[in-house]
Amino acid sequence: MTQPVALTINGRRRDDQVEPRLLLVHYLREVAGLTGTHIACDTSQCGACTVLIDGEAVKSCSVFAVQANGRKVTTIEGLAENGTLHPVQQAFWEEHGLQCGFCTPGFIMAAAYLLQQNPSPTDEEIERGLEGNLCRCTGYENIRRAVHSAARAMSGATDAASAQLVGSAAAPVED
Amino acid sequence: MAVTSLIGARIQRREDPKLITGHGNFIDDVNLVNMAHMSIVRSPHAHARIRSIDTSAARAAQGVVAVLAAGDFKPHIHAPLPVTNAFVADKKQVPDQFAIAEDEVIYAGEPVAVVVAEDRYLADDAAQLVVVDYEPLPAVMDLEKAMAPDSPLVKSDRSDNIGWDAAFPAGDIDAAFAEAEVVVKQRIGQQRLFPTPMETRGCVADYVPYDNRVTLWTSTQVPHFVRLFVGGALGVPESQFRVISHDVGGGFGSKIRPYLEEYLTTATSKIVERPVKWIEDRTESLLATTHGRGQIFDVEVAARRDGTLLGLKFTQLLDIGAYHGVFSAFQVVACLIGGGAYEWKAINARSIGIFTNRTSTDPYRGAGRPEATHMVERMVDLVALEIGMDPAELRRKNFVKSFPHTNNFGLVYDSGDYPKTLDRAMANIDYTALRKRQADLRAQGRYLGIGFSTYVEICGLGPSAATAPAAGVALVESSMVRVHPTGSVTVSVGTHAHGQSHETTFAQIVADTLGVPYDSVEIHHGDTGDTPFGYGTYGSRSLAVGGMAIMASCHKVVEKATKLAAHAFEASEEDIVVDQGRYFVRGNPGEAKSIAELAFASYGAGLPAGMEQGLEAVSYFDPPNFVWPFGCHICAVEVDPETGGVSIDRYVAVDDCGNVINPMVVDGQLHGGIAQGISQALFEEVLYDEETGQMLTGTMVDYLIPTMAEMPHFELDRTVTPSPTNELGVKGIGEAGTIASSIAVINAITDALTPFGIKHVEMPARPDRLWSMIKEARA
Ligand code: FES
Ligand code: FES
């Protein structure tokens, strides 16, 4: 009853036999062993499972693995390149955009997609762009800040504050 | 202090690199070879007798390993769930809760059977095939009706539906009310809430057959509690029972109790002789994980026309749910701190815990303190309204002003400066201009409101002198600090973070105290296999209690290192100067030994006579008092009278948690805390059908967790009044935001609606509720 699927995940091709009912998120976590994509609801509300399919942000709990057949999937594990964090990852770190970190992979993927679509979003555009993601820890304040800061970094602009923060995690910086 | 001081520095978190790259290790990421998956069959009824359970179809289903019910677990689970319910000495009923129902279910979601299968899909499939024959019984839902002598019972073997009924009198309340020129009365609700950590619960149990050795991975705030109680019930000694909790995706109080699923998964692993995994899905979580709040306060305040507060009388009705949570009775603390930041001649409080056929309540961020703050801050506003006084001035007039302050119940507020946070917040929001704007807008038919919350919080649980008699536990905390031969440091603690950044902030403390590089310090928590017994993380205790346990071990290490240095320099200990990890003889700083050198020496030969090798220490810290953070939050909202919609214009907070270890982390805790209080004020509410006891808000579609769009910017500021209770001068900050914020929002909404003659608004202040109130007021 299984079906063959061939996906390119984070640049690597995989061939598997899966049950038609297997959700993409379970495929990624349990078949491909990529546990960075999380599950926090069963009603497509939380966005913790967000990945990119052919470059577009998708809630991987709302897609069957077989529907992703032949597509390119990017998960949180594939966002950093050659040991360099993606600017959105870097910004979440610098701006304290995460606490428990459970919602974070989904937020980072959704934010990366948002910035690709809209390189310098307003507060309102960020709020709209990330309305499919829930965080219970941060009150969203620093997530909003992180997205702005990533936008600045990606557009090449650096402000003094964020430049100061880059580098050693241990470097104390004035509050 | 020294220029290298890390305490107080904004340091990026060391927790983050793995979490932002998808390499966290949460409970569902734990996978073992040959692991089976467990699904739990739960009661669809709030109250029913179980006539029979037919598991034959489920047993025959594809991939099924076992189907188990109460009778199968009885030989393995020998004790009920723990309840630290000694908080109330008066009439009290503490019924035993077993891990799985046998013949009577008393809340929707109570387990009746478990199914174990080769994967989670198959386990869920087979769970659908378990046939349970129920005889529905009446559900007890309403708190006041449940108290009536002729009420149906929540469970048939109970004497009534009362869990506790405790009186807390302090001072001559009749005299205080006799003196009153005004008396205001109000009923104030605290709706039930889902704590809703983004990661649901789950566990993986690996019982090694014939060996009586267990490893249990679980998503918990309290690994040592889980080992103590689950191990105890299963007859596995602590030395053979290891509980591991890696990254925990939030808790907010809902992961404090050793849960029945931890018992069931472990026992199931023993029975099926395989590792077993259970992961709660969200719908299940909303039924099976403890809820918060669920209280009603009936309150009366006596005051003089000049704004002097005299007496406070109130009754707390608390919906316990079907069984006590592990700390449900802790929320009685609302009675002891119900007076808030004010002086009172007398307070008379009563708390009644009532059983209903609902999921159990237990602490949710704040646990008793948000309720107390919401109550007293609401009442203070009602008094101000009644006598026509500015709410800020009424607060200022009645503030406790000198510290330490012994409140009406003998609790000692350690330090504070309440007018200072009030002044700062009023300046930050530009109160005078805001009142003017309010008047201008009203003239245009727009309704702006300004709400205050000047809270004080009890946290840092807690001194054994208080907690042992009250709760039967000494809520001390532990640490082990070990300096390795080449100077790196391992610190193991009994607390356990679930978003609080302990790996970073504890390392800041250790690096400063020992004078070692921050990067050389590693913090271990969450694994009973390599940490000393501790009570875990909740009650804003990890820094004020756990941090102090770390300090105590660091001091012991420094003491021994000083002896080693004295020995090396052939000097007396008194002549050794310790400066940022360098040890030298007074007057000769050029010839110093680093702690790494002394550590290396400590593991070798030629030590001082009688000294053992090694450089490490274990400490337990029992705080002399609680700690008392405080602050002032001011919220400005605009209410649209046509829709009842509320928009938050400004949210200004000035908090004081004593000395700050990492300001970035403190601000983050406040952001999240404030958001949860705002969310209670405006959005969240667990609803049940009052007849059948069915949950009506059983998915995230029905239960509103706010998104970014619903949350305002938070304008934070702080004052620093160090705590005299501990050497670090710290208080706690994990819960302060939530404790303060719900009432700042509600007071703002009522202030906005004053022109309609509306004096009080219940939570959640949803648009439909406000719209109806405005419509009624206009009619
Ligand atoms: S798991 Fe919640 S949206 Fe996918
Ligand atoms: S950081 Fe915990 S849910 Fe977002």
Side-chain angles (χ1 to χ4, degrees), chain B residues 427-440:
Chain B
N428 289 358
I429 206 163
D430 198 348
Y431 185 60
T432 318
L434 199 58
R435 280 286 179 214
K436 166 134 193 349
R437 191 164 148 245
Q438 178 180 43
D440 293 347

Side-chain angles (χ1 to χ4, degrees), chain A residues 25 38-50 59-62 132, chain B residues 700:
Chain A
V25 67
H38 295 156
I39 302 168
C41 75
D42 31 37
T43 48
S44 294
Q45 235 72 35
C46 73
C49 61
T50 306
K59 291 179 175 175
S60 62
C61 72
S62 62
Chain B
M700 274 189 168

